[in-house]
């Protein structure tokens, strides 16, 4: 498929480009704090460890760090079950460490985002302890309590994302409470004004400290149907008695409710009181629904996370179509974004294979919009096989037959070939792969052919060229193997050609002639080559070409 309107800019692209902020032009790097660098030898990564690696991140060329939760937590879901939103878990360090991290990050002209988990707390949070203590305490309605149906059965058929039904009977209060995730993660009742106030206060606390924004956990879950109506079965799901896996029902009443937008708007309004802070939403929804989280007047999330590269099959035509659909669905001032990995999904090198990892990186860092990368992807870390008796992720443990433990994508960063790969001087909380002696930062940093060198060069070229970080986007070509597009800013034009297949491919546009120089190729030797007309690509090859003006 050859696109004919290649040089037309949409009005969305033009207007969104009139002023650019750091979160539009920069690159976000997600750190899973347990696994980045352990400074005190307890086998778990910590804030001091992260501080010690800031020079590395600066050298790599990323602009913003997002930390998965580092707050007080019983760790039932590794920190996504928070018992004090304003306190740092001692495993990770102290508030002083966090202050130091923030100032060190800012000192390097980088930004720091925290993970905001507003949908649920830990069942050990004082709010929940109070709420469950009686039916008439001041916080009794802060969570979603229900008597159950007549006869004592569950209030409705809602299922937990982590398996089984989503209601837990509380002996103390003699009622059920709703938990979309673990039973140790009761959902807050966001319809309650005091809950809203408490959460906004907490956000203010961090914004006052100077954090540059939040990644908001499960944003689309925050509010549920007021009548708690049953969710309908998903097409092809088993009979009612066996509907116990989350995807057996369509979560039409438990997620993505119209009222959620009021909440996001409130969060955004608060964020707007501060300079250049960003509100990112974790949202797994189809594109048409996802883009509603920008808000009708662009007054909700700055960046509703776009997970298409994580969820779609690695198929050139499907991905090309999704890019077009996404570009077309964005509201006039909505800024796009792309994500290639996170702590919940298999790593890109495992999902599409090592051979495609550089192609994927080239796509992530040259599509229009803010890219989010996941620690370790820059060295091609793969999912680490975790023996069954070492699984610690509750998602894996609760549903052993589905093989969906997230541990493999959360393993320690591979820094060097020393014991524990330089991550810790003691046994890490999750094992390393057997090949860490070969796949690590130290080995790759001076190797011209490595994944790390490729990432670093790409990040640098992206930073230096406005066309790549804020330029317009226009599709050029797509077929079963290739995706090609142009990024343009002023007189600068870049052609990106990606071969998503392992076989050789020809880029042979009929209507236009492209002439230029390869600035970066997935094959090192391509650098500097002149290209003209028909371009022959190797399997798994990607090219970044500066077009002659
Ligand atoms: C989404 C987070 O990314 C995931 O790790 C967590 O388990 C759930 N939300 C529940 O907080
Ligand atoms: Mg530690």
């Amino acid at each position: 498929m050859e696109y004919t309107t290649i040089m037309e800019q949409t009005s969305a692209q033009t207007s969104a480009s009139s002023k650019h902020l750091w979160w539009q032009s920069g690159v976000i790097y997600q750190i899973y704090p347990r696994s980045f660098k352990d400074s005190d030898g307890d086998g778990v990564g910590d804030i001091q460890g992260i501080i010690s690696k800031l020079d590395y991140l600066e050298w790599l060329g990323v602009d913003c760090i997002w930390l998965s939760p580092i707050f007080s937590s019983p760790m039932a879901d590794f920190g996504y079950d928070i018992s004090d939103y304003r306190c740092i878990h001692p495993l990770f360090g102290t508030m002083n460490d966090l202050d130091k991290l923030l100032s060190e990050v800012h000192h390097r002209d980088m930004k720091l985002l925290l993970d905001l988990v507003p949908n649920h707390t830990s069942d050990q949070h004082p709010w929940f302890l109070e709420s469950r203590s009686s039916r008439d305490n001041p916080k009794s309605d802060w969570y979603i309590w229900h008597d159950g149906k007549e006869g004592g059965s569950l209030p409705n058929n809602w299922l937990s994302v982590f398996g089984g039904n989503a209601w837990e009977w509380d002996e103390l209060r003699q009622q059920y409470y709703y938990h979309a995730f673990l039973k140790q993660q009761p959902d807050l009742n966001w319809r309650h004004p005091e809950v809203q106030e408490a959460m906004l206060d907490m956000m203010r606390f961090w914004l006052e400290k100077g954090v540059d924004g939040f990644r908001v956990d499960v944003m689309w879950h925050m509010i549920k149907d007021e009548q708690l109506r049953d969710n309908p079965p998903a097409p092809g799901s088993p009979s009612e008695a066996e509907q116990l896996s989350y995807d057996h029902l369509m979560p039409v009443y438990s997620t993505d409710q119209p009222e959620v937008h009021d909440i996001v708007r409130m969060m955004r309004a608060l964020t707007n009181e501060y300079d250049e802070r960003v509100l990112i939403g974790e949202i797994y929804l189809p594109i048409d629904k996802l883009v509603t989280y920008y808000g009708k007047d662009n007054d909700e999330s700055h960046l509703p996370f776009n997970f298409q590269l994580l969820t779609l099959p690695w198929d050139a035509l499907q991905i090309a179509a999704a890019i077009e659909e996404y570009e077309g669905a964005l509201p006039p001032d909505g800024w796009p974004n792309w994500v290639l990995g996170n702590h919940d999904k298999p790593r890109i090198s495992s999902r599409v294979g090592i051979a495609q990892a550089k192609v994927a990186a080239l796509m992530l860092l040259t599509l229009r919009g803010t890219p989010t990368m996941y620690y370790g992807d820059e060295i091609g870390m793969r999912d680490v096989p975790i023996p069954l008796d070492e699984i610690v992720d509750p998602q894996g443990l609760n549903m052993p037959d589905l093989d969906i433990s997230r541990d493999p994508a959360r393993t320690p960063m591979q820094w060097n070939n020393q014991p524990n790969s330089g991550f810790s001087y003691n046994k890490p909380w999750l094992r390393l792969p057997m090949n860490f002696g070969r796949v690590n930062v130290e080995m790759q940093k001076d190797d011209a052919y490595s994944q790390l060198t490729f990432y670093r060069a790409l990040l640098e070229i992206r930073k230096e060229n406005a066309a790549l970080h804020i330029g317009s986007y226009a599709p050029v070509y797509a077929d079963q193997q290739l995706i090609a597009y142009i990024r343009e800013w002023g007189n600068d034009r870049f052609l990106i050609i990606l071969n998503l297949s392992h076989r050789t491919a020809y880029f042979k546009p009929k209507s236009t002639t492209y002439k230029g120089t390869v600035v970066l190729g997935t094959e090192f030797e391509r650098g500097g080559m002149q290209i003209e007309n028909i371009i022959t690509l190797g399997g798994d090859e990607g090219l970044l070409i500066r077009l002659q003006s």
Side-chain angles (χ1 to χ4, degrees):
M1 179 202 338
E2 196 167 337
Y3 299 84
T4 46
T5 55
I6 43 176
M7 281 305 111
E8 269 170 32
Q9 288 189 8
T10 67
S11 62
Q13 294 186 22
T14 329
S15 67
S17 306
S18 46
K19 179 171 183 267
H20 292 94
L21 301 170
W22 66 265
W23 54 265
Q24 296 177 309
S25 55
V27 174
I28 301 171
Y29 183 98
Q30 180 190 356
I31 288 180
Y32 195 65
R34 296 183 71 87
S35 293
F36 200 56
K37 169 73 186 167
D38 175 23
S39 71
D40 59 0
D42 61 0
V44 179
D46 43 55
I47 298 174
Q48 284 295 343
I50 298 172
I51 295 175
S52 73
K53 293 297 182 184
L54 288 178
D55 287 343
Y56 164 74
L57 294 174
E58 192 181 15
W59 170 87
L60 178 62
V62 297
D63 304 280
C64 172
I65 300 164
W66 148 38
L67 299 184
S68 283
I70 38 144
F71 314 103
S72 300
S73 164
M75 294 286 164
D77 189 21
F78 295 105
Y80 282 94
D81 49 321
I82 296 173
S83 51
D84 186 342
Y85 287 97
R86 301 175 190 225
C87 205
I88 306 294
H89 194 297
L91 256 184
F92 298 120
T94 63
M95 192 58 93
N96 279 343
D97 295 334
L98 200 273
D99 290 339
K100 175 94 187 325
L101 173 64
L102 188 58
S103 75
E104 289 285 327
V105 165
H106 285 165
H107 179 67
R108 287 169 175 78
D109 251 341
M110 290 160 68
K111 307 286 182 184
L112 185 70
L113 306 181
L114 295 184
D115 215 308
L116 183 78
V117 188
N119 178 70
H120 44 268
T121 67
S122 158
D123 63 349
Q124 298 307 308
H125 195 296
W127 297 344
F128 187 72
L129 296 180
E130 187 175 339
S131 188
R132 71 183 291 206
S133 68
S134 69
R135 296 191 189 195
D136 53 11
N137 70 78
K139 295 195 171 50
S140 65
D141 293 332
W142 278 38
Y143 292 82
I144 301 171
W145 293 100
H146 200 282
D147 286 338
K149 291 195 181 131
E150 255 173 70
S153 61
L154 302 175
N156 66 23
N157 71 349
W158 295 358
L159 297 173
S160 156
V161 177
F162 287 153
N165 67 64
W167 294 96
E168 180 70 12
W169 178 254
D170 186 62
E171 279 300 333
L172 198 59
R173 182 160 152 156
Q174 291 288 304
Q175 269 186 322
Y176 290 101
Y177 66 86
Y178 174 68
H179 59 91
F181 296 89
L182 296 175
K183 63 173 191 248
Q184 295 93 331
Q185 294 168 298
D187 280 46
L188 281 160
N189 174 16
W190 266 92
R191 294 180 186 275
H192 199 308
E194 286 170 19
V195 168
Q196 300 174 4
E197 207 177 306
M199 295 306 272
L200 291 174
D201 262 6
M202 178 271 282
M203 288 175 75
R204 195 181 287 284
F205 169 81
W206 290 109
L207 291 166
E208 289 289 337
K209 246 188 199 303
V211 306
D212 299 287
F214 303 101
R215 169 270 191 190
V216 183
D217 192 65
V218 295
M219 187 180 262
W220 84 115
H221 271 265
M222 284 192 296
I223 210 157
K224 352 280 165 189
D225 178 45
E226 201 157 22
Q227 301 169 50
L228 302 179
R229 279 169 283 190
D230 273 355
N231 281 326
S237 69
S239 69
E240 215 169 308
E242 293 160 49
Q243 282 165 1
L244 279 177
S245 158
Y246 187 69
D247 54 10
H248 288 162
L249 297 179
M250 293 194 293
V252 292
Y253 291 115
S254 49
T255 63
D256 194 32
Q257 299 303 293
E259 301 96 313
V260 74
H261 296 282
D262 302 331
I263 307 292
V264 184
R265 216 173 295 118
M266 279 170 17
M267 291 179 161
R268 171 64 176 270
L270 174 65
T271 313
N272 283 352
E273 290 177 26
Y274 299 81
D275 261 4
E276 294 198 19
R277 311 298 167 93
V278 68
L279 196 62
I280 300 179
E282 185 210 17
I283 300 159
Y284 286 90
L285 285 175
I287 293 174
D288 56 333
K289 300 233 171 91
L290 176 69
V291 296
T292 64
Y293 285 76
Y294 283 101
K296 281 207 186 73
D297 300 309
N298 203 20
D299 53 0
E300 295 184 32
S301 172
H302 294 98
L303 302 173
F305 261 153
N306 166 14
F307 292 127
Q308 291 179 90
L309 299 181
L310 281 181
T311 49
L312 284 176
W314 204 245
D315 171 278
L317 281 175
Q318 281 194 64
I319 290 184
I323 299 170
E324 294 329 301
E325 188 189 342
Y326 180 62
E327 279 281 349
L330 285 169
D333 286 317
W335 186 256
N337 78 90
W338 297 91
V339 182
L340 198 57
N342 67 29
H343 62 295
D344 293 327
K345 300 286 175 199
R347 283 187 180 272
I348 188 74
S349 299
S350 286
R351 202 163 71 79
V352 307
I354 295 279
Q356 277 288 312
K358 287 185 187 168
V359 173
L362 190 51
M363 181 173 344
L364 173 74
L365 293 166
T366 60
L367 281 172
R368 193 175 78 91
T370 308
T372 300
M373 43 186 288
Y374 185 52
Y375 84 97
D377 284 353
E378 72 272 26
I379 55 170
M381 271 173 64
R382 299 197 80 179
D383 286 356
V384 175
I386 304 292
L388 288 178
D389 59 356
E390 290 178 23
I391 295 178
V392 288
D393 174 27
Q395 177 170 282
L397 292 171
N398 287 3
M399 296 171 280
D401 295 342
L402 299 183
D403 190 17
I404 48 170
S405 162
R406 300 166 293 181
D407 294 334
R410 297 176 171 183
T411 57
M413 179 70 176
Q414 295 156 212
W415 293 106
N416 56 38
N417 62 6
Q418 299 300 300
N420 307 316
S421 204
F423 163 72
S424 175
Y425 51 82
N426 269 317
K427 187 170 178 256
W429 73 290
L430 280 176
R431 64 162 63 204
L432 288 144
M434 57 189 161
N435 67 1
F436 74 80
R438 287 183 284 122
V439 183
N440 61 58
V441 171
E442 192 64 30
M443 295 287 278
Q444 293 190 15
K445 75 179 191 330
D446 299 316
D447 172 359
Y449 309 110
S450 71
Q451 173 96 355
L452 182 57
T453 302
F454 180 77
Y455 253 99
R456 194 168 163 248
L458 182 53
L459 285 161
E460 194 179 347
I461 295 167
R462 187 182 194 281
K463 191 164 285 181
E464 279 169 2
N465 291 281
L468 294 175
H469 56 255
I470 50 174
S472 65
Y473 159 90
V476 167
Y477 180 83
D479 64 19
Q480 273 87 351
Q481 294 175 277
L482 297 181
I483 299 177
Y485 49 90
I486 282 183
R487 299 294 309 279
E488 181 175 12
W489 182 258
N491 293 326
D492 285 336
R493 289 167 73 212
F494 287 88
L495 171 65
I496 294 96
I497 312 175
L498 306 166
N499 184 356
L500 271 67
S501 80
H502 306 311
R503 295 174 39 239
T504 58
Y506 297 103
F507 174 71
K508 39 179 184 196
K510 292 198 187 73
S511 51
T512 324
T513 306
Y514 297 100
K515 203 174 167 183
T517 312
V518 176
V519 253
L520 188 69
T522 51
E523 295 295 328
F524 176 82
E525 291 78 3
R526 277 279 200 179
M529 277 189 192
Q530 304 294 313
I531 59 98
E532 202 172 341
N533 299 329
I534 298 175
I535 304 170
T536 315
L537 288 99
D540 306 305
E541 185 167 22
L543 298 173
L544 173 59
I545 299 158
R546 183 190 291 279
L547 293 176
Q548 254 171 38
S549 42

